[in-house]
């Protein structure tokens, strides 16, 4: 009997894909150690530089032209998957093609769109947004119902999922992803930082969706800027949500706007340097599934200042200082107090993370369950 053919949808691989991209990186790295049990098959975007790396590591690589969430994903990508004759497929997001009928495992990172189904979360017109949101809810429900096993990235996300879909409990497992960013991986080779001012800064990393609460943070920064010469550095994709925030910032007083820097997306090396040199890393979000930037910051020895919403206390524990979110005045007061007393954010214990070996062992247990349910 030949090895089990295990497929991984790796089209969202890499730092530019944010949290899911990081998760996919960890997934592929973990499964490198399972080649004795599986024939590993990766599906990647066409012309992706990942091809050579995976091939050298013994993976069977399929380049596909189907973009995530696009029509081709529902048509040509299904054909690619079927031709690969997989025994099991793991999709690290909820976008399993609707017509795929072979056994699969899916990872659920969060239920943000269940909690924040509003027009501010989209750039589409109302009719298009309404249609796409309805398609999301139908597609999400179908995906999790048809999955052999479901993985969530935190205990909070598992509880959140089961609040909406309690019948999924028998096949849902929470597996914390490993975070590989450590001080040992950092070099001092990066000299051309986009932010090279001598002014101290507070760092925010992530997308600029409404639930990230950056609008409230900008409003709070008005009061912060009155008392401290500190820059707010925002790292994230330069998309329509970033543009919306930049437009808002331009309407604010110059005394505030000159102390806020939008950097766009950056590479791994520059991101590590930005973490290291920040006063602290700020996470004012209203909802998260895991909170990866704070974990990365902690592993680099940097202080975390976070809201206490959703999964964040679970992910950060005693490693973070918690500030109010949802009230601009209280947030400003808390940030002013922290900046006035730098010691209040230091001497926090580092976050304890899952090892790549522990991650792999837990994945293999879930895969075995999925295959036993044939």
């Amino acid at each position: 009997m030949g090895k089990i053919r295990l497929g991984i949808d790796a089209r969202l691989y890499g730092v530019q894909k944010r949290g899911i991209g990081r998760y996919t990186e960890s997934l592929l790295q973990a499964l490198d150690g399972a080649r004795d049990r599986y024939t590993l098959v990766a599906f990647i975007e066409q012309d992706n530089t990942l091809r050579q790396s995976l091939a050298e590591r013994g993976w069977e690589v399929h380049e596909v032209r189907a973009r995530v969430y696009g029509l081709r994903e529902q048509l040509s990508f299904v054909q690619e998957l079927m031709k690969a004759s997989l025994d099991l497929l793991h999709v690290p997001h909820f976008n399993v093609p609707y017509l795929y009928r072979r056994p699969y495992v899916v990872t659920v990172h969060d239920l943000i769109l269940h909690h924040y189904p509003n027009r501010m979360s989209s750039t589409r017109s109302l009719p298009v947004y309404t249609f796409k949101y309805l398609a999301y809810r139908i597609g999400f429900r179908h995906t999790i119902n048809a999955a052999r096993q479901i993985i969530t990235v935190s205990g909070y996300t598992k509880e959140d999922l089961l609040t909406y879909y309690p019948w999924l409990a028998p096949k849902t497992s929470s597996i914390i992803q490993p975070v590989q960013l450590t001080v040992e991986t950092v070099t001092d080779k990066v000299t051309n930082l986009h932010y090279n001012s001598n002014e101290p800064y507070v760092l925010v990393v992530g997308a600029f969706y409404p639930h990230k609460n950056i609008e409230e943070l900008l409003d709070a920064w008005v009061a912060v800027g009155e008392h401290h010469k500190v820059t707010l550095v925002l790292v994230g994709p330069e998309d329509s949500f970033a543009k919306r925030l930049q437009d808002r910032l331009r309407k604010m007083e110059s005394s505030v706007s000159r102390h806020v820097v939008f950097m766009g997306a950056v590479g791994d090396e520059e991101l590590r340097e930005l973490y290291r040199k920040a006063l602290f890393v700020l996470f004012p979000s209203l909802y998260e599934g895991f909170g990866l930037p704070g974990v990365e910051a902690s592993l680099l020895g940097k202080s975390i200042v976070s809201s206490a919403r959703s999964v964040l206390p679970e992910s950060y524990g005693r490693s973070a200082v918690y500030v109010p979110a949802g009230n601009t005045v209280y947030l400003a007061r808390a940030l002013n107090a922290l900046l006035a007393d730098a010691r209040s954010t230091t001497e926090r214990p580092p976050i304890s993370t899952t090892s790549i070996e522990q991650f792999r062992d837990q994945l293999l247990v879930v895969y075995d369950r999925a295959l036993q349910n044939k």
Side-chain angles (χ1 to χ4, degrees):
M1 181 178 177
K3 292 182 182 178
I4 295 169
R5 289 179 61 79
L6 172 66
I8 305 295
D9 180 2
R11 290 174 300 151
L12 287 172
Y13 177 94
V15 65
Q16 300 302 326
K17 307 297 186 181
R18 302 187 290 277
I20 297 173
R22 289 289 200 204
Y23 180 87
T24 307
E25 287 181 13
S26 296
L27 186 60
L28 297 182
Q29 184 181 350
L31 291 174
D32 280 338
R35 285 192 296 270
D36 59 329
R37 297 182 58 176
Y38 300 104
T39 296
L40 300 171
V41 184
F43 298 88
I44 65 174
E45 291 181 339
Q46 236 183 6
D47 301 322
N48 193 310
T49 55
L50 182 60
R51 166 185 270 280
Q52 183 176 351
S53 171
L54 287 175
E56 291 172 350
R57 288 151 55 186
W59 287 72
E60 178 184 317
V61 184
H62 295 244
E63 288 183 311
V64 296
R65 296 183 61 188
R67 293 179 57 190
V68 175
Y69 312 129
L71 183 60
R72 282 182 174 174
E73 182 175 69
Q74 301 300 326
L75 301 174
S76 61
F77 187 40
V78 172
Q79 296 174 2
E80 287 282 348
L81 292 173
M82 295 305 295
K83 280 191 276 186
S85 299
L86 302 173
D87 295 298
L88 185 65
L89 171 68
H90 184 175
V91 179
H93 199 24
F94 60 80
N95 56 309
V96 182
Y98 196 88
L99 296 177
Y100 188 69
R101 293 293 184 264
R102 295 183 67 86
Y104 67 82
V105 172
V106 65
T107 298
V108 176
H109 293 258
D110 56 61
L111 278 78
I112 288 171
L113 290 178
H114 283 59
H115 291 275
Y116 295 93
N118 60 66
R119 285 275 294 110
M120 289 295 292
S121 300
S122 174
T123 60
R124 305 289 186 177
S125 65
L126 181 58
V128 173
Y129 168 77
T130 302
F131 173 78
K132 288 179 71 70
Y133 183 73
L134 181 61
Y136 155 73
R137 290 299 293 257
I138 294 172
F140 184 88
R141 187 183 181 97
H142 167 77
T143 295
I144 58 178
N145 278 334
R148 291 293 177 88
Q149 291 286 308
I150 300 168
I151 296 171
T152 64
V153 297
S154 64
Y156 177 87
T157 299
K158 178 179 178 179
E159 291 179 8
D160 205 12
L161 179 71
L162 297 182
T163 297
Y164 285 92
Y165 311 99
W167 59 89
L168 299 176
K171 63 177 183 178
T172 302
S173 304
S174 173
I175 302 179
I176 308 301
Q177 74 183 78
V179 179
Q180 303 300 304
L181 198 65
T182 64
V183 70
E184 287 78 16
T185 66
V186 178
T187 69
D188 292 318
K189 295 179 181 178
V190 182
T191 57
N192 58 335
L193 290 175
H194 288 79
Y195 181 79
N196 51 20
S197 169
N198 291 324
E199 186 168 281
Y201 64 90
V202 170
L203 181 66
V204 176
V205 178
F208 300 121
Y209 298 122
H211 70 271
K212 297 290 186 177
N213 204 30
I214 307 301
E215 287 193 9
E216 180 183 289
L217 176 59
L218 290 180
D219 291 340
W221 209 252
V222 174
V224 172
E226 292 177 356
H227 300 92
H228 306 279
K229 290 184 178 180
V230 176
T231 297
L232 180 66
V233 175
L234 302 168
V235 173
E238 297 184 68
D239 54 17
S240 57
F241 297 102
K243 184 179 182 300
R244 186 183 294 170
L245 289 170
Q246 290 166 346
D247 290 343
R248 183 186 185 93
L249 184 63
R250 278 191 284 270
K251 297 174 184 177
M252 300 173 76
E253 297 178 13
S254 60
S255 60
V256 177
S257 60
R258 69 169 176 262
H259 292 292
V260 179
V261 175
F262 281 88
M263 287 190 51
V266 301
D268 277 353
E269 288 190 354
E270 184 166 2
L271 180 59
R272 290 166 186 153
E273 290 297 308
L274 287 166
Y275 277 139
R276 289 178 70 198
K277 296 177 179 178
L279 292 175
F280 54 79
V281 174
L282 179 59
F283 219 64
S285 183
L286 300 176
Y287 183 97
E288 294 295 326
F290 181 59
L292 180 64
V295 179
E296 291 182 335
S298 178
L299 293 179
L300 292 174
K302 190 55 57 179
S303 302
I304 315 163
V305 176
S306 171
S307 79
R309 298 290 191 94
S310 63
V311 75
L312 299 176
E314 176 190 338
S315 293
Y316 302 158
R318 293 172 50 244
S319 300
V321 175
Y322 295 100
V323 294
N327 185 297
T328 302
V329 173
Y330 291 163
L331 177 59
R333 286 177 183 171
L335 292 175
N336 274 320
L338 292 173
L339 290 168
D341 180 12
R343 291 176 300 175
S344 60
T345 63
T346 60
E347 299 180 358
R348 294 275 167 169
I351 291 173
S352 177
T353 60
T354 302
S355 71
I356 202 76
E357 293 78 17
Q358 290 171 323
F359 185 52
R360 177 172 60 245
D361 290 345
Q362 292 177 78
L363 287 171
L364 298 187
V365 170
V366 170
Y367 295 160
D368 286 344
R369 288 177 188 155
L371 291 166
Q372 290 166 7
N373 289 338
K374 278 190 176 182

